[in-house]
Amino acid sequence: MIPADWFDNSGLAELRRWLIDRQLPVLSERSVRLQPGMFEPRRALFSVPTAAIEELSSVDEVLQICRAMSSPIAHLTAIRRYFRSAAFVHFGFEYSVSTAIGKCYLELSSSVPATSADDGRLMFLGFKWSMNDTSLAVVSRYRNVHPQGPSSLTECFLNEAPEELRPELSQLAQRLEPECETDKAEMRLLEVTEEGSDRRSFDLNVYAAQQPVALITDLVHVIAERFTCADNEVNEWLHKTAAATVGHISAGRTRSDQPFLTIYYQGAG
């Protein structure tokens, strides 16, 4: 359950009413962001299959939700243009300290597991903007990565991760990697780049492992301590989300070249 005051006047109320009124199927996902001096759990994503929207609603209503989220006009134009190519639309809300951020992702990927033939294929278009300042807006591209040679997805992820986080990320990825080869085939690795900046990160999907946040508590503490995050905030989040399922982990560098780790999860919290 997301506290009502987290995203007050940000379009979340409009989104919820639209989902209920249209009786649309929706999946929700939460995440927490760790970087030097910041531990930010106020992050949420809501996902809807576009097939259901086309049957029961229209792209105009999707754009109306984005307007309620203070999306800039340029993003609205692009979302309309690419909407028909999307399998899912994802609405995101998050804070970065005092900055409220809105997101609309168009998922272009198919439902089948990624293979080497898909290497470099565009999987998501991410439209992001500041709700405090509509002049701040970026477009991110998420492309499939398939390791060359004998390397695994996990090894490829670690090779690209910030060097100062690799010891803990290595343990974290090892604990979250599925044991069954069939489940490993469900894993994905995405490279994330952003127009107009050097920001770059990698996202490893580990939902197939079905592991709880409790499994990585010690590693979260180590990274949080390294980033000088507030102990009380970290402990509160770990307590609330212990039973939640870890979905994917993202690591890279911010626009200001700071290392970061984001943990996505479903369930408790």
Side-chain angles (χ1 to χ4, degrees), residues 8-28:
D8 194 26
N9 299 319
S10 65
L12 180 57
E14 288 83 351
L15 173 62
R16 282 175 165 158
R17 283 198 296 270
W18 178 64
L19 294 172
I20 293 171
D21 290 346
R22 293 297 190 181
Q23 298 185 334
L24 292 168
V26 61
L27 293 175
S28 62

Side-chain angles (χ1 to χ4, degrees), residues 151-177:
S151 297
S152 67
L153 287 178
T154 299
E155 290 169 335
C156 187
F157 171 73
L158 294 173
N159 288 339
E160 300 290 350
E163 186 174 355
E164 55 267 58
L165 290 179
R166 286 179 191 170
E168 289 74 37
L169 287 179
S170 177
Q171 295 184 59
L172 191 151
Q174 184 177 19
R175 295 183 194 180
L176 296 174
E177 184 175 18

